[in-house]
Amino acid sequence: MYQGLIHFHSMWRYVVLILILLTILKSLAGWFGNKEHTNGDAKLALFTMISLHIQLLVGLILYGISPAVNFGPMAEMMKMPNRYWTVEHLIMMIVAVVVITLGRNYALKADDGHGKHKRMGIVFLIGLAIIFISIPWPWSQVSRAYFPF
């Protein structure tokens, strides 16, 4: 079960990243092109948020069963070599999900399409930046394979 969840989590990240990028591109095009915010734009942002929440849910399950995560006193955990998986990755990804979720809701409350596109583009860019910071890149000490199969 653990390996299957790792594979799903590793592959699903591409769905999430592609949807976030599409949402950002559509938002920037709508913002700079002064386009109306359509039902399709709202649905794309919703599907992006749903895919991100699925990724978070699988990540939380993995957090509970992963041998790379150490539970114990915080002072000891912060000294361990796999602190990244125990603390940093989890917290940063939760922050990214919260930023995107609250930002999407904030964006949809704007009065006009221009404002919705602008807010959506900005918060999704911030969320994407946080996600990029917390991805285990190949050159980092905690790297994971891009394609784990």
Side-chain angles (χ1 to χ4, degrees):
M1 181 173 131
Y2 173 72
Q3 278 304 100
L5 285 174
I6 284 283
H7 289 312
F8 178 80
H9 192 65
S10 295
M11 290 184 299
W12 191 253
R13 68 180 158 195
Y14 297 108
V15 172
V16 172
L17 290 173
I18 288 169
L19 286 172
I20 289 173
L21 289 172
L22 283 174
T23 303
I24 290 169
L25 290 174
K26 282 199 59 105
S27 295
L28 293 177
W31 176 12
F32 294 116
N34 281 329
K35 297 179 182 176
E36 265 314 300
H37 194 265
T38 65
N39 217 10
D41 295 328
K43 285 182 182 179
L44 177 61
L46 176 65
F47 293 145
T48 302
M49 191 181 69
I50 290 170
S51 71
L52 189 60
H53 285 161
I54 290 169
Q55 183 75 340
L56 175 65
L57 180 63
V58 173
L60 290 174
I61 293 168
L62 284 169
Y63 185 76
I65 65 174
S66 175
V69 174
N70 295 320
F71 297 102
M74 186 59 77
E76 290 178 25
M77 284 191 302
M78 297 307 281
K79 295 176 187 173
M80 294 184 173
N82 52 357
R83 174 184 91 179
Y84 175 80
W85 297 112
T86 305
V87 180
E88 296 165 9
H89 184 70
L90 172 75
I91 290 173
M92 294 294 285
M93 290 301 185
I94 289 174
V95 168
V97 171
V98 167
V99 165
I100 288 175
T101 301
L102 294 179
R104 177 188 162 272
N105 293 336
Y106 170 70
L108 292 176
K109 292 179 182 178
D111 295 332
D112 61 342
H114 181 264
K116 288 179 183 181
H117 284 300
K118 180 180 178 180
R119 290 178 182 183
M120 195 85 67
I122 290 170
V123 296
F124 274 73
L125 274 170
I126 292 168
L128 182 62
I130 295 168
I131 289 170
F132 275 166
I133 290 169
S134 54
I135 288 176
W137 295 104
W139 55 83
S140 68
Q141 294 176 341
V142 292
S143 67
R144 287 257 171 103
Y146 281 125
F147 301 100
F149 34 80

